[in-house]
Amino acid sequence: MPMTATTVLTARALLLDMDGTLVNSDAVVERVWHRWAERNGLDGAEIMKVVHGRQGHASMALLLPHRPMEKNIADNERMLAEETADMEGVVAIPGAAELLASLRGLGLPHALVTSADVPLSTARMAAAGLPLPDVRVTAESVGASKPDPEGFLKGAAELGVAPSECVVFEDSGAGIAAGRSAGMRVVGVGERAGFHRPDVVVRDLAQVRVSALGGGAIRVSVGA
């Protein structure tokens, strides 16, 4: 990962992805998608290169481009129900609880921006023992999935902050692309993020510290 010394970013709001960023849900995601791959005659390992960060129906549209979208949406609804019922192995990313506590305790603007819907995001954050931010942009809030920037732009708008003054925390290629398209700086979280050229990469959120600066600014220290 391309980070050794501490990097300092200044922002007015932080926009946080959930899966892979705040919550490690890889085990259940792989279980559900491998079952879907088997049902559709696809290679499970190959589809995992596509699905992270996107809404399920958007991933299906890439994987089966000639299939009617109505079928993808129906499959996605079933898979969301499966995922919401399966919390085995869902845990917090190291440092996530401390980062959220710091943001809330200091009153710093932040939002959850996730491709999960409300039931799934609520269940996974609870399973990981993490509080939900007051501002949340979920699958129901947008018309386009990441890598479209709509979700991050909505998060910035709800917080009343210009996109250029936001810092995104993301783990997936789709999410990193969405943050960049929104005109935001991106902190990549985890090994997966390092392949997609975020502005800086951390192993996990234990390498992130936030503090309040004057005039409503946030100091984000990213480093070992």
Side-chain angles (χ1 to χ4, degrees), residues 91-211:
V91 296
I93 295 289
E98 293 79 4
L99 175 61
L100 290 170
S102 293
L103 291 169
R104 185 178 291 271
L106 293 169
L108 301 176
H110 64 288
L112 183 72
V113 180
T114 175
S115 293
D117 63 5
V118 169
L120 181 56
S121 58
T122 302
R124 280 193 178 153
M125 291 289 281
L130 299 175
L132 282 164
D134 292 335
V135 177
R136 301 183 288 277
V137 179
T138 61
E140 298 93 337
S141 310
V142 299
S145 173
K146 299 172 185 177
D148 191 282
E150 181 184 0
F152 287 125
L153 292 173
K154 282 199 168 186
E158 289 197 31
L159 293 170
V161 176
S164 62
E165 295 183 311
C166 296
V167 170
V168 165
F169 286 75
E170 263 285 1
D171 72 300
S172 70
I176 290 167
R180 287 193 174 282
S181 294
M184 302 171 181
R185 290 155 295 161
V186 181
V187 175
V189 180
E191 183 177 358
R192 195 158 48 229
F195 297 102
H196 303 288
R197 302 182 64 186
D199 293 282
V200 61
V201 183
V202 293
R203 178 186 65 249
D204 54 44
L205 296 175
Q207 294 185 299
V208 178
R209 299 288 184 275
V210 294
S211 57

Side-chain angles (χ1 to χ4, degrees), residues 26-27 36 63 79 131 168:
D26 281 359
W36 182 86
L63 293 162
M79 290 175 67
V168 165

Side-chain angles (χ1 to χ4, degrees), residues 16-19 23 25 29 33 53-57 72-87 112-126 132-133 136-142 144-146:
L16 308 163
D17 173 53
M18 182 181 71
D19 293 302
V23 173
S25 56
V29 170
W33 276 101
R54 293 181 172 86
Q55 291 186 40
H57 61 77
N72 295 338
I73 291 172
D75 265 11
N76 186 51
E77 289 178 358
R78 285 192 291 270
M79 290 175 67
L80 283 171
E82 288 181 43
E83 290 184 85
T84 303
D86 183 357
M87 292 295 129
L112 183 72
V113 180
T114 175
S115 293
D117 63 5
V118 169
L120 181 56
S121 58
T122 302
R124 280 193 178 153
M125 291 289 281
L132 282 164
R136 301 183 288 277
V137 179
T138 61
E140 298 93 337
S141 310
V142 299
S145 173
K146 299 172 185 177

